[in-house]
Amino acid sequence: MTNAADFDDLVAAARAELDDPARTYIVGKETSPRFELFHAGLSMCSQKVRAVLAEKAIPYTSHELVIVASKGIWAEDFKPAENYRPGYVRLRMFGGRQLGKQYAQAHTGNSSVDTEGFDPCVVPLLVDHEERSVVVDSKLICDHLDNAVAGPIKLIPDDPTVRAAVMAQVDIVDRSPHPGLLYGFHPDDDRRPDFIKGVMSDVHDVKCSSIQRFIEDNADDEDLAAAYRAKIAKERAGKALAFDPDRQRMVRAQAQGIIDGLDVQLGDTTGPWICGTDYTLADMLWGISLYRFHWLGLATMWSSKQRVSEYAGRVYKRPSVWEQVINFPSPMPPSPHTADVH
Ligand SMILES: N[C@@H](CCC(=O)N[C@@H](CS)C(=O)NCC(=O)O)C(=O)O
């Protein structure tokens, strides 16, 4: 698409489908910001982007989406998740063309575009009105924002050696099995907050039936239907992973391996941050990742690792992480496991 009016129409169509105008607001002092973010309070990938925007003091239009079907939790009537609506998915498909990736259809437990492919039905999504572009993956959005706006801090250093070290850590977090842990029913040690266990018991089926309805309602749009069909395949694979005891044990072991690796890396750094004396995107993403593990009851993975424990304390306290993740106004549902984070 090259036509400016078409671009604006595509963005407007995604906006028009959102249920509640109160969940759209401007962050910062500008009346017509360059950036527009479709995101969700509890989404880890959205948390990464919000923290970058906050760290760099970038104004933006914020659309907070409800990414779980309502079923009487968010509203009286059934409402399909807002990230499945056709206008939003078309906007993602437009942004996704730049990735040159197949749609994700399997599920290994992580949601990295690099290893899993492109999911056309998720948040976050960034619109850059100056470049008239749409960026659809949190790692790419963080990079895009860091390059586009100088701001008070450069989160991805220019020096090629340091940059490579930072991006290696970013990739570890990007490929961590957070969805596998959030959605997964561990057979012996399911520590997730009760609210989450309840939501996850039938979430895959609810997602698939919502999407099936959108396929039927948009039968004339084959590209859209193909995107939806891929999402259904991915969610079916996700359900198989969530309820498979052996694979859940493997996902947990993989997470423990990641924490063990972090501990080694912390032993090697000149500190106080993961790649030396400067705070970078790597520290921000580790803060968000460790807090998610913590919230899921998995701070046990570093209970005997003092370095990780102290590092977690440091990265949680960074104002961008504290305000955009831990204390965000529409927060992750409460967890008994984070009572020690204050
Ligand atoms: N690689 C993508 C993954 C995005 C993703 O999986 N988003 C999740 C929340 S963190 C989502 O929107 N899930 C809703 C769904 O699958 O229905 C990114 O980093 O942006």
Side-chain angles (χ1 to χ4, degrees):
M1 180 183 306
T2 48
N3 188 313
D6 288 349
F7 181 84
D8 290 337
D9 287 350
L10 200 56
V11 180
R15 283 188 207 124
E17 291 171 335
L18 303 178
D19 288 331
D20 182 2
R23 283 190 272 108
T24 288
Y25 50 89
I26 291 177
V27 178
K29 293 207 166 61
E30 290 184 10
T31 48
S32 185
R34 168 175 173 182
F35 298 105
E36 183 166 357
L37 181 68
F38 293 74
H39 66 116
L42 58 79
S43 141
M44 248 194 85
C45 308
S46 303
Q47 292 169 350
K48 296 174 186 176
V49 174
R50 288 201 305 270
V52 169
L53 287 159
E55 194 71 54
K56 299 191 66 102
I58 301 175
Y60 63 103
T61 304
S62 161
H63 302 289
E64 275 190 60
L65 272 56
V66 173
I67 62 167
V68 184
S70 60
K71 288 198 304 171
I73 294 170
W74 304 95
E76 286 299 309
D77 304 326
F78 180 86
K79 286 197 171 148
E82 290 176 306
N83 46 308
Y84 295 168
R85 315 254 168 116
Y88 178 74
V89 176
R90 286 193 186 102
L91 190 59
R92 274 191 79 79
M93 289 162 64
F94 171 71
R97 292 192 314 202
Q98 268 72 274
L99 300 174
K101 293 274 179 186
Q102 303 287 326
Y103 289 131
Q105 306 209 37
H107 216 307
T108 62
N110 84 67
S111 61
S112 167
V113 160
D114 295 339
T115 61
E116 311 301 299
F118 171 52
D119 186 332
C121 301
V122 290
V123 289
L125 174 152
L126 183 85
V127 181
D128 181 339
H129 287 284
E130 198 171 296
E131 288 188 4
R132 305 193 82 73
S133 64
V134 174
V135 193
V136 287
D137 181 60
S138 62
K139 192 173 95 167
L140 296 176
I141 298 173
C142 294
D143 192 18
H144 183 87
L145 290 169
D146 197 42
N147 281 324
V149 179
I153 184 170
K154 186 90 174 77
L155 288 165
I156 305 174
D158 291 327
D159 177 272
T161 312
V162 190
R163 181 187 167 91
V166 168
M167 292 317 282
Q169 296 299 314
V170 167
D171 282 339
I172 292 170
V173 175
D174 188 50
R175 296 169 193 189
S176 293
H178 284 287
L181 295 168
L182 177 68
Y183 288 83
F185 287 78
H186 194 283
D188 333 300
D189 185 30
D190 187 347
R191 307 174 62 84
R192 295 171 303 165
D194 288 342
F195 173 85
I196 291 299
K197 287 184 199 167
V199 171
M200 295 310 174
S201 60
D202 64 351
V203 71
H204 300 93
D205 294 338
V206 174
K207 285 180 179 199
C208 291
S209 57
S210 304
I211 295 169
Q212 188 56 44
R213 262 170 43 187
F214 283 123
I215 293 178
E216 284 152 22
D217 293 349
N218 294 277
D220 56 335
D221 187 339
E222 181 43 40
D223 288 347
L224 184 66
Y228 280 140
R229 281 196 296 271
K231 181 63 171 169
I232 288 180
K234 181 185 166 192
E235 291 307 322
R236 289 197 178 129
K239 182 178 177 183
L241 175 71
F243 292 97
D244 182 322
D246 289 342
R247 290 177 75 200
Q248 280 303 312
R249 289 192 189 97
M250 280 164 59
V251 164
R252 185 72 68 84
Q254 191 193 347
Q256 182 65 63
I258 288 167
I259 296 301
D260 295 349
L262 172 63
D263 190 36
V264 171
Q265 176 70 22
L266 287 169
D268 287 347
T269 180
T270 49
W273 305 113
I274 192 74
C275 294
T277 49
D278 294 331
Y279 182 85
T280 67
L281 184 66
D283 300 293
M284 176 186 286
L285 302 196
W286 271 120
I288 294 167
S289 174
L290 290 172
Y291 187 73
R292 177 57 63 106
F293 287 137
H294 207 130
W295 180 82
L296 289 169
L298 297 176
T300 45
M301 294 193 295
W302 60 84
S303 51
S304 62
K305 295 183 190 302
Q306 196 185 343
R307 280 190 298 239
V308 177
S309 204
E310 288 173 3
Y311 179 66
R314 277 198 294 285
V315 285
Y316 293 170
K317 287 283 160 63
R318 186 83 180 181
S320 54
V321 171
W322 193 263
E323 283 153 26
Q324 301 304 320
V325 181
I326 300 174
N327 232 3
F328 192 65
S330 46
M332 289 142 76
S335 163
H337 304 297
T338 50
D340 60 343
V341 179
H342 39 72

